[in-house]
Amino acid sequence: MASVFEGHAVSREDRVEACAGAGGVRGRWDGAVAVSRGIPYAEAPIGPRHFGTPVPVRAWDGVRDALEFGPCVPQPGHTGAVVAFVRTVGPRE
């Protein structure tokens, strides 16, 4: 099996699951490459964290879908929380 993040990939047809440190994530195979998108790596930088050092994301239970990109970076005039996301790719074997 292919090594992905801290754990090993678990393949179910076109899906792949791995441990991302804070919890499990479910991505998909794109040919021979495992792709996971929108994996949070930090808490939203709002309030007192706005200009501070990123705070690691809180752990979650179960397996989180990582099939789509996370929200876009806000533009001037945009309001709402921002969450830091990462995309990963890796070979099947």
PDB file of all heavy atoms in Angstrom, residues 51-64:
ATOM      1  N   PHE A  51      -3.706  38.070  13.331  1.00  0.00           N
ATOM      2  CA  PHE A  51      -2.348  38.275  12.830  1.00  0.00           C
ATOM      3  C   PHE A  51      -1.333  37.423  13.583  1.00  0.00           C
ATOM      4  O   PHE A  51      -0.136  37.665  13.508  1.00  0.00           O
ATOM      5  CB  PHE A  51      -1.957  39.757  12.920  1.00  0.00           C
ATOM      6  CG  PHE A  51      -2.721  40.600  11.944  1.00  0.00           C
ATOM      7  CD1 PHE A  51      -3.713  41.458  12.383  1.00  0.00           C
ATOM      8  CD2 PHE A  51      -2.462  40.517  10.584  1.00  0.00           C
ATOM      9  CE1 PHE A  51      -4.428  42.233  11.482  1.00  0.00           C
ATOM     10  CE2 PHE A  51      -3.174  41.286   9.683  1.00  0.00           C
ATOM     11  CZ  PHE A  51      -4.160  42.148  10.127  1.00  0.00           C
ATOM     12  N   GLY A  52      -1.808  36.425  14.302  1.00  0.00           N
ATOM     13  CA  GLY A  52      -0.919  35.587  15.100  1.00  0.00           C
ATOM     14  C   GLY A  52      -0.404  34.377  14.343  1.00  0.00           C
ATOM     15  O   GLY A  52      -0.709  34.157  13.168  1.00  0.00           O
ATOM     16  N   THR A  53       0.365  33.593  15.044  1.00  0.00           N
ATOM     17  CA  THR A  53       0.883  32.335  14.514  1.00  0.00           C
ATOM     18  C   THR A  53      -0.276  31.367  14.338  1.00  0.00           C
ATOM     19  O   THR A  53      -1.165  31.304  15.195  1.00  0.00           O
ATOM     20  CB  THR A  53       1.906  31.745  15.506  1.00  0.00           C
ATOM     21  OG1 THR A  53       2.925  32.716  15.718  1.00  0.00           O
ATOM     22  CG2 THR A  53       2.510  30.464  14.990  1.00  0.00           C
ATOM     23  N   PRO A  54      -0.308  30.591  13.273  1.00  0.00           N
ATOM     24  CA  PRO A  54      -1.391  29.626  13.080  1.00  0.00           C
ATOM     25  C   PRO A  54      -1.503  28.668  14.260  1.00  0.00           C
ATOM     26  O   PRO A  54      -0.510  28.235  14.827  1.00  0.00           O
ATOM     27  CB  PRO A  54      -0.995  28.874  11.806  1.00  0.00           C
ATOM     28  CG  PRO A  54      -0.094  29.818  11.087  1.00  0.00           C
ATOM     29  CD  PRO A  54       0.642  30.570  12.156  1.00  0.00           C
ATOM     30  N   VAL A  55      -2.742  28.352  14.620  1.00  0.00           N
ATOM     31  CA  VAL A  55      -3.036  27.404  15.690  1.00  0.00           C
ATOM     32  C   VAL A  55      -3.454  26.101  15.021  1.00  0.00           C
ATOM     33  O   VAL A  55      -4.344  26.100  14.165  1.00  0.00           O
ATOM     34  CB  VAL A  55      -4.180  27.946  16.574  1.00  0.00           C
ATOM     35  CG1 VAL A  55      -4.595  26.928  17.614  1.00  0.00           C
ATOM     36  CG2 VAL A  55      -3.768  29.263  17.214  1.00  0.00           C
ATOM     37  N   PRO A  56      -2.823  24.979  15.399  1.00  0.00           N
ATOM     38  CA  PRO A  56      -3.193  23.706  14.773  1.00  0.00           C
ATOM     39  C   PRO A  56      -4.692  23.436  14.883  1.00  0.00           C
ATOM     40  O   PRO A  56      -5.333  23.786  15.881  1.00  0.00           O
ATOM     41  CB  PRO A  56      -2.397  22.669  15.554  1.00  0.00           C
ATOM     42  CG  PRO A  56      -1.245  23.430  16.120  1.00  0.00           C
ATOM     43  CD  PRO A  56      -1.777  24.811  16.406  1.00  0.00           C
ATOM     44  N   VAL A  57      -5.237  22.820  13.867  1.00  0.00           N
ATOM     45  CA  VAL A  57      -6.658  22.486  13.845  1.00  0.00           C
ATOM     46  C   VAL A  57      -6.951  21.458  14.941  1.00  0.00           C
ATOM     47  O   VAL A  57      -6.115  20.611  15.260  1.00  0.00           O
ATOM     48  CB  VAL A  57      -7.079  21.969  12.451  1.00  0.00           C
ATOM     49  CG1 VAL A  57      -6.472  20.613  12.145  1.00  0.00           C
ATOM     50  CG2 VAL A  57      -8.580  21.921  12.313  1.00  0.00           C
ATOM     51  N   ARG A  58      -8.135  21.563  15.529  1.00  0.00           N
ATOM     52  CA  ARG A  58      -8.555  20.587  16.541  1.00  0.00           C
ATOM     53  C   ARG A  58      -8.806  19.241  15.876  1.00  0.00           C
ATOM     54  O   ARG A  58      -9.273  19.180  14.732  1.00  0.00           O
ATOM     55  CB  ARG A  58      -9.826  21.058  17.236  1.00  0.00           C
ATOM     56  CG  ARG A  58      -9.617  22.251  18.141  1.00  0.00           C
ATOM     57  CD  ARG A  58     -10.918  22.626  18.808  1.00  0.00           C
ATOM     58  NE  ARG A  58     -11.884  23.034  17.774  1.00  0.00           N
ATOM     59  CZ  ARG A  58     -12.473  24.204  17.726  1.00  0.00           C
ATOM     60  NH1 ARG A  58     -12.232  25.103  18.640  1.00  0.00           N
ATOM     61  NH2 ARG A  58     -13.326  24.492  16.769  1.00  0.00           N
ATOM     62  N   ALA A  59      -8.512  18.179  16.599  1.00  0.00           N
ATOM     63  CA  ALA A  59      -8.735  16.821  16.087  1.00  0.00           C
ATOM     64  C   ALA A  59     -10.226  16.584  15.862  1.00  0.00           C
ATOM     65  O   ALA A  59     -11.070  17.185  16.529  1.00  0.00           O
ATOM     66  CB  ALA A  59      -8.181  15.802  17.069  1.00  0.00           C
ATOM     67  N   TRP A  60     -10.533  15.726  14.905  1.00  0.00           N
ATOM     68  CA  TRP A  60     -11.923  15.355  14.649  1.00  0.00           C
ATOM     69  C   TRP A  60     -12.055  13.842  14.713  1.00  0.00           C
ATOM     70  O   TRP A  60     -11.086  13.108  14.556  1.00  0.00           O
ATOM     71  CB  TRP A  60     -12.405  15.894  13.305  1.00  0.00           C
ATOM     72  CG  TRP A  60     -11.630  15.399  12.109  1.00  0.00           C
ATOM     73  CD1 TRP A  60     -11.810  14.220  11.433  1.00  0.00           C
ATOM     74  CD2 TRP A  60     -10.543  16.067  11.450  1.00  0.00           C
ATOM     75  NE1 TRP A  60     -10.916  14.123  10.392  1.00  0.00           N
ATOM     76  CE2 TRP A  60     -10.117  15.240  10.385  1.00  0.00           C
ATOM     77  CE3 TRP A  60      -9.880  17.275  11.649  1.00  0.00           C
ATOM     78  CZ2 TRP A  60      -9.077  15.593   9.532  1.00  0.00           C
ATOM     79  CZ3 TRP A  60      -8.845  17.612  10.794  1.00  0.00           C
ATOM     80  CH2 TRP A  60      -8.467  16.784   9.754  1.00  0.00           C
ATOM     81  N   ASP A  61     -13.262  13.391  14.967  1.00  0.00           N
ATOM     82  CA  ASP A  61     -13.561  11.959  15.014  1.00  0.00           C
ATOM     83  C   ASP A  61     -13.957  11.484  13.632  1.00  0.00           C
ATOM     84  O   ASP A  61     -14.492  12.245  12.827  1.00  0.00           O
ATOM     85  CB  ASP A  61     -14.723  11.671  15.984  1.00  0.00           C
ATOM     86  CG  ASP A  61     -14.357  11.962  17.432  1.00  0.00           C
ATOM     87  OD1 ASP A  61     -13.184  11.732  17.802  1.00  0.00           O
ATOM     88  OD2 ASP A  61     -15.238  12.412  18.180  1.00  0.00           O
ATOM     89  N   GLY A  62     -13.699  10.229  13.371  1.00  0.00           N
ATOM     90  CA  GLY A  62     -14.115   9.640  12.106  1.00  0.00           C
ATOM     91  C   GLY A  62     -13.252  10.064  10.934  1.00  0.00           C
ATOM     92  O   GLY A  62     -12.117  10.512  11.100  1.00  0.00           O
ATOM     93  N   VAL A  63     -13.813   9.912   9.737  1.00  0.00           N
ATOM     94  CA  VAL A  63     -13.105  10.231   8.501  1.00  0.00           C
ATOM     95  C   VAL A  63     -13.808  11.400   7.827  1.00  0.00           C
ATOM     96  O   VAL A  63     -15.009  11.380   7.612  1.00  0.00           O
ATOM     97  CB  VAL A  63     -13.075   9.009   7.555  1.00  0.00           C
ATOM     98  CG1 VAL A  63     -12.377   9.346   6.247  1.00  0.00           C
ATOM     99  CG2 VAL A  63     -12.385   7.833   8.228  1.00  0.00           C
ATOM    100  N   ARG A  64     -13.037  12.432   7.515  1.00  0.00           N
ATOM    101  CA  ARG A  64     -13.548  13.653   6.907  1.00  0.00           C
ATOM    102  C   ARG A  64     -13.327  13.596   5.392  1.00  0.00           C
ATOM    103  O   ARG A  64     -12.253  13.246   4.925  1.00  0.00           O
ATOM    104  CB  ARG A  64     -12.770  14.818   7.506  1.00  0.00           C
ATOM    105  CG  ARG A  64     -13.157  16.146   7.021  1.00  0.00           C
ATOM    106  CD  ARG A  64     -12.236  17.189   7.672  1.00  0.00           C
ATOM    107  NE  ARG A  64     -12.736  18.490   7.389  1.00  0.00           N
ATOM    108  CZ  ARG A  64     -12.891  19.444   8.275  1.00  0.00           C
ATOM    109  NH1 ARG A  64     -12.536  19.260   9.523  1.00  0.00           N
ATOM    110  NH2 ARG A  64     -13.370  20.599   7.920  1.00  0.00           N
TER     111      ARG A  64
END
